Amino acid sequence: MKNIQLTSLQQLGIFPQSLHYQLSSTQLQTHAMNQKGGVLSSTGALVIRTGKFTGRSPKDKFIVQDDLTKETVDWNEFNNPISTDQFEVIFQASISFLNSHPQLYINDVYAGADKDHRISFRIINQLPAMSLFVANMFIALSSQLPPFTEPDWHVLVAPDLELNPEKCGTRQSNATVINFKRKIIIIAGSGYTGEIKKSVFTVLNYLLPLQKKVLSMHCAANQGADGATALFFGLSGTGKTTLSTDPLRKLIGDDEHGWSAKGIFNFEGGCYAKCMKLDGNKEPAIFNAIKAGAIVENTPFFKNTNQINFDSDAITENTRVSYPLSHISNRVIHGTGKAPKHIIFLTCDAFGVLPPLSRLTQQQAIYYFLNGYTAKIAGTEAGIKEPKPTFSACFGAPFMPLAPMVYAGLLQEKLNHHKVKVWMVNTGWAGGRYGVGQRIPLAFSRLMVTAILSNSLDHVSFTQESCFRLNVPDYCPDVPREMLLPRNSWDNQEAYFLQANELITHFEANYQRVIQPKGVIPAGLPMGR
């Protein structure tokens, strides 16, 4: 490692015993296996376990409250305040821990494919597998992106460090702490790699809208042969990665993007896809990306083999794979695109009452964006026996530090300026709620997305259904007509209307509890009764 980078670490107080800087994916994979931190699968991918945490811990994310953030951060259950003194205690504990560790791994990376808006990060951690994750997920140094001497931000990752909650002001022994004034992120006590990804996303979600008027978005993006861009918003499990990874279109990115005056740009250099029940026939691009350099998390092998059992939830339902975008042949190499022509909101409605496909008015688009709805079903989270509505403002509340209307306001401006068409695709249930109806086949969801992006619905008539006042196409190529209007696929019409009204009640309650207190008053809810 160059002396100037070593000096940068020493200025933080880090004096490493042994330091590994910018190792290749092959070297990091070897280090992980030698340290018993991963096992090689039959595909060549490294399979790891993330320990106690197999998912993010959003209630343990803290932001230092100071004169910079006090009036700008939307303090809530995901943006928890912590004092500068408490940050200093956590910082010193992290530095002490990293100095005591025999080996440290350093990655210098960028977030943001647009040169005018990218931010540099130096990520310091104790585990080679986490270093490989960083190399996969962010934008690597190259001849076009030369090395930097001093990063914009430092990230300290110490998964084996257990904090003292009483001294540190944390909820428990793990925490992710962001200091916008010091430009430091600390991740302690969790080996879940997604904490790194989402903490960097949180930083961009604060800086870009405030400083650059760039809309930061939790969405996937792809591009057609004609260069037309489409965005896919959706919470986990709605099909964001699956539907945006389309053999007929080039992938820009599967999760995090910015929308500037020039167009769309990916924040990342890789994909982090759910792989529970992954089927190579249904999702070949993701399946084939699981090769040397990829990391598969918390997925067991078939007994007495090194073959990955993608159907097993023995460790967690939230099994994941991380791979660089170079593993996807059909991709936009520069990670940028034009302003979108179409935006698709994805939801998995387990109540079976939202249309599989609908076109949104601008008022509806902002309303559904602010609510960010999907449903959890039995088996996805401990204690859930019946479908549970889940709302996440802007489709990403846990990593949105600003008030929801900041993002919604920027979205509305861009929708107006670019005349974007906004759609909602329900990948959940039809013909009845979960347990009664049937999951909408992935093949039909793909056909609906294809119809949207090919502009095949431009000359189709639409019917406004009575419950949600959503405009539903009367025809979609190769999709059964009876599926398009939800009530037509239910045997019991009375049960349909009772279920629809129940979901509307959940929407109204969420809007009044979360959105309206922020000063956002809708001009009449875009739903009926």
Side-chain angles (χ1 to χ4, degrees):
M1 185 171 183
K2 294 180 180 179
N3 287 336
I4 194 156
Q5 279 102 349
L6 189 59
T7 300
S8 168
L9 296 182
Q10 291 173 347
Q11 288 173 346
L12 283 176
I14 297 176
F15 297 86
Q17 300 176 39
S18 178
L19 192 62
H20 303 286
Y21 177 66
Q22 299 289 87
L23 296 190
S24 69
S25 60
T26 302
Q27 290 172 316
L28 290 169
Q29 186 171 275
T30 300
H31 278 237
M33 291 189 293
N34 289 342
Q35 295 177 25
K36 302 189 184 304
V39 179
L40 203 62
S41 75
S42 60
T43 70
L46 184 71
V47 177
I48 69 170
R49 295 196 179 188
T50 61
K52 176 182 176 182
F53 293 94
T54 58
R56 289 180 296 103
S57 186
K59 291 185 178 179
D60 295 303
K61 185 190 78 180
F62 298 86
I63 296 174
V64 175
Q65 189 176 64
D66 52 28
D67 55 2
L68 179 64
T69 60
K70 187 175 181 179
E71 301 299 330
T72 52
V73 168
D74 181 29
W75 303 106
N76 55 37
E77 61 180 322
F78 303 121
N79 299 320
N80 299 291
I82 199 165
S83 71
T84 53
D85 289 343
Q86 290 166 331
F87 172 81
E88 189 61 31
V89 172
I90 297 170
F91 176 73
Q92 292 302 329
S94 302
I95 294 297
S96 178
F97 176 86
L98 291 171
N99 280 333
S100 69
H101 206 269
Q103 299 184 79
L104 296 181
Y105 294 83
I106 313 294
N107 297 77
D108 280 353
V109 294
Y110 287 96
D114 186 326
K115 63 182 178 60
D116 294 329
H117 303 301
R118 68 172 56 109
I119 297 174
S120 60
F121 291 83
R122 178 161 293 151
I123 303 178
I124 306 149
N125 81 82
Q126 67 175 94
L127 297 177
M130 296 189 92
S131 187
L132 177 55
F133 175 86
V134 170
N136 283 348
M137 295 308 303
F138 298 103
I139 299 172
L141 305 181
S142 65
S143 56
Q144 288 76 38
L145 290 172
F148 46 80
T149 55
E150 185 66 26
D152 298 317
W153 279 73
H154 285 94
V155 184
L156 311 181
V157 187
D160 290 341
L161 170 62
E162 293 194 1
L163 302 174
N164 182 324
E166 187 175 343
K167 291 182 178 179
C168 297
T170 57
R171 191 175 70 100
Q172 48 189 23
S173 60
N174 67 294
T176 295
V177 187
I178 302 174
N179 190 323
F180 282 99
K181 187 171 283 188
R182 295 271 297 274
K183 297 184 178 181
I184 293 172
I185 300 170
I186 299 172
I187 300 169
S190 174
Y192 183 64
T193 58
E195 294 286 11
I196 303 173
K197 166 186 163 73
K198 290 306 184 187
S199 63
V200 169
F201 187 33
T202 301
V203 167
L204 272 64
N205 287 339
Y206 179 85
L207 296 176
L208 293 181
L210 281 184
Q211 296 180 357
K212 303 288 189 74
K213 297 302 179 186
V214 170
L215 173 60
S216 55
M217 305 172 292
H218 182 213
C219 71
N222 65 22
Q223 187 180 87
D226 59 354
T229 301
L231 302 182
F232 299 76
F233 288 83
L235 301 177
S236 179
T238 58
K240 182 158 50 69
T241 298
T242 298
L243 291 171
S244 63
T245 307
D246 184 334
L248 300 178
R249 297 174 64 85
K250 290 185 177 182
L251 183 69
I252 298 175
D254 81 324
D255 199 46
E256 299 168 3
H257 293 81
W259 188 349
S260 71
K262 292 191 297 183
I264 301 300
F265 63 98
N266 193 0
F267 287 167
E268 301 182 295
C271 298
Y272 192 42
K274 293 193 76 169
C275 56
M276 173 55 61
K277 300 188 183 302
L278 182 65
D279 185 330
N281 294 319
K282 294 180 179 178
E283 301 178 73
I286 298 172
F287 189 86
N288 293 329
I290 302 175
K291 55 188 178 181
I295 306 172
V296 178
E297 296 181 351
N298 302 314
T299 305
F301 295 127
F302 287 104
K303 190 174 181 179
N304 299 323
T305 76
N306 66 340
Q307 292 181 304
I308 301 169
N309 181 2
F310 291 111
D311 290 333
S312 175
D313 61 356
I315 302 171
T316 178
E317 185 85 16
N318 185 38
T319 56
R320 294 273 180 173
V321 58
S322 158
Y323 50 86
L325 274 166
S326 59
H327 283 197
I328 300 291
S329 58
N330 199 28
R331 70 188 190 280
V332 177
I333 294 175
H334 48 74
T336 62
K338 299 175 183 176
K341 289 190 174 180
H342 296 279
I343 291 176
I344 298 172
F345 292 162
L346 297 169
T347 184
C348 176
D349 175 32
F351 296 97
V353 292
L354 284 177
L357 172 61
S358 53
R359 186 179 62 196
L360 305 184
T361 66
Q362 188 174 117
Q363 184 195 15
Q364 288 171 333
I366 298 303
Y367 182 83
Y368 281 98
F369 180 73
L370 285 168
N371 278 286
Y373 164 71
T374 193
K376 292 180 181 178
I377 58 175
T380 60
E381 190 174 289
I384 293 181
K385 305 296 183 184
E386 296 292 330
K388 179 182 178 182
T390 301
F391 297 92
S392 187
C394 311
F395 295 98
F399 16 91
M400 299 292 179
L402 306 175
M405 201 57 205
V406 174
Y407 307 101
L410 285 171
L411 177 62
Q412 188 162 30
E413 288 176 14
K414 292 181 181 299
L415 293 181
N416 281 330
H417 181 73
H418 296 283
K419 310 301 181 189
V420 185
K421 294 178 182 177
V422 184
W423 307 79
M424 184 159 62
V425 171
N426 171 23
T427 59
W429 270 254
R433 61 184 281 146
Y434 172 79
V436 178
Q438 299 294 320
R439 184 79 188 256
I440 297 169
L442 175 60
F444 286 154
S445 296
R446 288 193 188 280
L447 287 169
M448 294 175 205
V449 170
T450 298
I452 291 169
L453 301 185
S454 64
N455 301 308
S456 298
L457 303 177
D458 281 0
H459 304 292
V460 170
S461 59
F462 284 73
T463 296
Q464 187 181 86
E465 54 81 46
S466 58
C467 293
F468 298 89
R469 298 179 184 163
L470 292 167
N471 293 306
V472 177
D474 296 322
Y475 169 76
C476 181
D478 300 316
V479 176
R481 286 177 182 266
E482 64 272 14
M483 178 180 285
L484 294 173
L485 205 60
R487 61 179 292 187
N488 291 344
S489 63
W490 281 60
D491 294 331
N492 186 327
Q493 293 292 292
E494 182 180 359
Y496 166 77
F497 283 108
L498 286 172
Q499 192 67 81
N501 281 325
E502 181 183 335
L503 183 56
I504 289 172
T505 298
H506 286 302
F507 266 97
E508 291 172 344
N510 179 73
Y511 200 98
Q512 291 166 12
R513 182 181 65 86
V514 178
I515 308 301
Q516 201 161 318
K518 306 294 182 182
V520 184
I521 308 298
L525 294 176
M527 295 184 178
R529 278 290 188 182

